[in-house]
Amino acid sequence: MPGSRLTIAQVSDIHCGHVMFDGELLTHAVDEIVELGPDLVVVAGDLTSEGYAPQFRQAKRFLDRLGDLERVVIPGNHDLMNVGFLHFRDSFGQSDRVVRVPFSNQNGSEPEKFATVTAINSAKPDLAEGEIGQGKYDWIRASYKWPDDYRIFILHHHLVPVPGTGRERNIVWDAGDVLALLDELKVNLVLAGHKHVPNVWQVGEMLLINSGTASTHRVRGYTRPSFNVIEVTEDRVRIVHRYPGLGEIVAATYQRGERRLSLNPQLAGMWNRGAWNV
Ligand SMILES: [Fe+2]
Ligand SMILES: [Fe+2]
């Protein structure tokens, strides 16, 4: 795959309809993603505040502005409130799905490298906690059927606690089993939202990447609204936090050959220091 690159915009927790939703932030985020033109846009759940139909329609109006960009949208716990999964389905279709996304080639030639992207609904109606459930493991296993593909898994909830988010109380119930399954399947990236604080962890050869809230002021401590831009090339993965309308900062770089993750020391503990340079 020399010269090929996969660019992903990872957005979550836009929470349309919430009193702290900020349409200006989401407009900036969508405009910036359109300008970037990534290979894939991931919307990792919590599109709404309470799962009401007008809130889904508002989210859809914003996301429709992404035009032809390939996207994977899953629901979060807020979207399943008030039987909201019906409205999610009406606006965004099936939540559990597998798509195959080609890497872009620098020279514009035919794609040689692909990513298998498996997305699953980890939310449960009217509960903040998440679960994948043993019944879905075989489906997940079968989804990674292209042995040479880069492997991405998407869910709303976190599999490992996120720093700066207070008491841990709604991690995925079967997080240990899911981590073991994804490790067995040699998944490269796990993308999630839910806690409204961006983070990157390395577990084995897997990167667990959380996005913050893109368009609300429901942040924790000094965290700012943000989304992630992830670039995968042959030798590295680069994770950028982008603050809609304000700028961006490289959060972490992973050297694939050495399996080494370097976190930006400037961001360490930022949720309680709050010394921002962007
Ligand atoms: Fe959320
Ligand atoms: Fe959530």
Side-chain angles (χ1 to χ4, degrees):
M1 64 185 263
S4 67
R5 175 192 303 259
L6 184 75
T7 306
I8 305 165
Q10 178 194 3
V11 182
S12 69
D13 300 278
I14 61 177
H15 284 294
C16 288
H18 195 276
V19 67
M20 294 176 92
F21 169 78
D22 184 335
E24 213 172 306
L25 284 174
L26 192 49
T27 299
H28 279 301
V30 169
D31 287 350
E32 289 169 21
I33 293 169
V34 168
E35 196 184 332
L36 179 72
D39 302 295
L40 173 68
V41 181
V42 171
V43 186
D46 278 359
L47 290 94
T48 68
S49 179
E50 288 105 7
Y52 292 126
Q55 298 176 346
F56 279 110
R57 286 197 290 270
Q58 185 182 22
K60 187 169 177 352
R61 278 196 298 277
F62 274 103
L63 297 180
D64 279 350
R65 293 183 41 228
L66 293 168
D68 292 336
L69 291 173
E70 176 79 67
R71 78 199 75 158
V72 171
V73 184
I74 57 166
N77 52 307
H78 281 260
D79 304 322
L80 266 59
M81 293 168 76
N82 303 302
V83 200
F85 52 86
L86 296 175
H87 304 307
F88 177 88
R89 189 190 58 196
D90 290 346
S91 291
F92 298 104
Q94 187 74 20
S95 58
D96 295 359
R97 53 194 291 233
V98 184
V99 294
R100 214 163 168 235
V101 181
F103 280 57
S104 294
N105 281 334
Q106 307 296 69
N107 57 14
S109 58
E110 284 294 297
E112 292 166 10
K113 182 75 185 168
F114 291 81
T116 302
V117 181
T118 300
I120 206 154
N121 170 20
S122 59
K124 306 181 82 65
D126 302 305
L127 284 179
E129 298 100 323
E131 183 189 26
I132 299 299
Q134 295 274 344
K136 290 185 175 176
Y137 292 4
D138 283 346
W139 180 83
I140 293 169
R141 200 174 265 115
S143 72
Y144 293 108
K145 60 184 172 188
W146 294 276
D148 297 329
D149 278 10
Y150 195 76
R151 295 182 168 189
I152 300 173
F153 185 75
I154 300 166
L155 75 170
H156 176 60
H157 294 79
H158 48 302
L159 292 174
V160 168
V162 176
T165 60
R167 181 164 67 92
E168 180 50 64
R169 55 190 161 180
N170 38 46
I171 200 162
V172 170
W173 288 342
D174 52 342
D177 292 338
V178 175
L179 282 168
L181 174 70
L182 300 179
D183 183 57
E184 171 205 319
L185 294 170
K186 302 204 176 309
V187 166
N188 300 100
L189 300 184
V190 180
L191 309 184
H194 186 53
K195 296 297 280 191
H196 298 197
V197 175
N199 191 55
V200 185
W201 284 139
Q202 179 179 356
V203 174
E205 293 176 42
M206 208 158 49
L207 295 184
L208 311 183
I209 306 175
N210 286 86
S211 42
T213 170
S215 55
T216 80
H217 299 282
R218 294 186 62 202
V219 292
R220 292 183 156 89
Y222 294 123
T223 311
R224 283 182 176 186
S226 67
F227 62 97
N228 292 336
V229 175
I230 303 163
E231 272 179 13
V232 182
T233 55
E234 189 183 20
D235 49 1
R236 63 151 171 76
V237 181
R238 196 174 76 132
I239 299 107
V240 168
H241 293 166
R242 197 179 260 256
Y243 309 101
L246 290 176
E248 65 177 37
I249 192 162
V250 177
T253 307
Y254 177 68
Q255 300 299 335
R256 297 182 63 190
E258 301 162 39
R259 299 168 188 164
R260 185 168 52 84
L261 179 70
S262 309
L263 299 171
N264 182 344
Q266 232 188 316
L267 284 174
M270 200 52 98
W271 41 272
N272 66 13
R273 279 197 288 117
W276 295 92
N277 289 326
V278 293

